[in-house]
Amino acid sequence: MCATYRALCRHGYADLTMQDIADEWAKSKAALHYHYDTKRGLLLAFLDHLFESYTERVADPAEGTPHERLHALLAAALDPPRADATRELRTALFEVKAQAPHDDAFRERLERFDRYLQAEIRGVVGAGVEAGAFRADVDSDEIATLLVTLVNGAHSRRIVLGDDAGVPEAIRSFVDDHLVEEATADR
Amino acid sequence: MCATYRALCRHGYADLTMQDIADEWAKSKAALHYHYDTKRGLLLAFLDHLFESYTERVADPAEGTPHERLHALLAAALDPPRADATRELRTALFEVKAQAPHDDAFRERLERFDRYLQAEIRGVVGAGVEAGAFRADVDSDEIATLLVTLVNGAHSRRIVLGDDAGVPEAIRSFVDDHLVEEATADR
């Protein structure tokens, strides 16, 4: 999986060959084929691997106030560790996303990331509304949809722009202003 | 440009050749090369062409209330006409986006779409705040950043999911709840 990671960073998705991955692994292509029949099979396994570390990283920390937990969740989804090293990987994964309309197995695996993030956000927002930390009129489903879409948009814009364009800050103030309004509207 | 459009829809970006485009044009590859030296040059011209129609479509309608104008702008950015026919094109453009980190000319052209949308939204929101149609504490720059990011995220999620997942509705209620709150917070 580390070899696949490095090969994707180095070559991107479109041009990636089994040979590239075998080279990073420092083993033969035959040895690689012993484990994975095709590049597609190996990449599906790689997406499973990424999803596992995603669920470890982007999980409700379950400590602190709901407001703090939501910020921590979003920061983990927006700013992965080793952001520089992962720029190439993000770009490669963006290319993988473009395969989703053509391949249901890719689509299914990619959907899982958003579904997981959506459930975690909905949980924290729901807990915050219940505890009175967030406004009572907040719809946790709708907020989760907005925030997952903002995270997707942030990743997409970062690839095109090469920088954040103030998006993480805008998302943070959205949470502060929209969910935790000091003077709550009376409805 | 129509031939390029059709060829992109049919073949996607990665596998596209000048021959594919010439075939759609029903002329020879030599005739195509007479106008464009490379596939890259042709695609850059195609992005310019798309940008022109984008600015016609996604412009502040300048009629109606700021609230109505903002909804019209966002609907145009989210739901292009002929949405079915453009699914393949969107996917191809998504692949083009993945080229941005490697090619400044692509990046520049792609940035223009977001910059244009951001300026149009900022203009309408600013006008709405000034006219008292939107809350006085709305920061038009920040709202424009959020909405442009939401539009990017909506496109990205639509490609992976194959459907809207309720995103356009969530964006509409965000505008209604966040910008036009009946009981305005007192700050």
Side-chain angles (χ1 to χ4, degrees), chain A residues 60 66-67 69 120-134 140:
Chain A
D60 175 3
H67 189 188
R69 281 154 62 195
E120 291 297 292
I121 293 176
R122 196 174 42 223
V124 175
V125 172
V129 170
E130 210 153 296
F134 295 142
S140 60

Side-chain angles (χ1 to χ4, degrees), chain A residues 8-81:
Chain A
L8 267 174
C9 291
R10 187 162 305 189
H11 304 281
Y13 172 75
D15 299 327
L16 190 71
T17 64
M18 289 292 265
Q19 185 62 58
D20 294 330
I21 299 166
D23 289 347
E24 293 290 341
W25 196 31
K27 297 213 179 175
S28 73
K29 206 172 121 185
L32 188 59
H33 274 290
Y34 177 81
H35 295 286
Y36 298 100
D37 279 344
T38 60
K39 173 180 146 184
R40 177 175 175 275
L42 175 48
L43 282 168
L44 289 175
F46 183 65
L47 285 177
D48 289 337
H49 168 77
L50 281 184
F51 182 69
E52 245 178 76
S53 58
Y54 188 77
T55 59
E56 278 166 28
R57 194 161 50 77
V58 184
D60 175 3
E63 262 179 35
T65 68
H67 189 188
E68 288 163 351
R69 281 154 62 195
L70 184 57
H71 275 306
L73 243 178
L74 290 170
L78 285 167
D79 304 306

Side-chain angles (χ1 to χ4, degrees), chain B residues 88-169:
Chain B
E88 288 80 11
L89 183 71
R90 279 170 183 290
T91 307
L93 288 178
F94 206 72
E95 291 177 79
V96 172
K97 274 193 184 181
Q99 306 306 310
H102 313 298
D103 190 323
D104 283 343
F106 276 107
R107 176 187 297 176
E108 241 168 61
R109 275 163 179 87
L110 290 166
E111 272 180 5
R112 280 199 300 171
F113 289 82
D114 281 359
R115 223 171 24 229
Y116 180 81
L117 181 60
Q118 177 117 7
E120 290 298 292
I121 292 175
R122 197 173 42 223
V124 176
V125 172
V129 170
E130 210 153 297
F134 295 142
R135 290 165 42 160
D137 64 350
V138 161
D139 176 334
S140 60
D141 257 324
E142 196 171 279
I143 290 292
T145 296
L146 284 174
L147 287 171
V148 170
T149 306
L150 282 167
V151 167
N152 269 270
H155 290 323
S156 163
R157 295 189 73 185
R158 190 185 288 159
I159 283 171
V160 171
L161 299 169
D163 70 41
D164 279 334
V167 173
E169 294 71 25

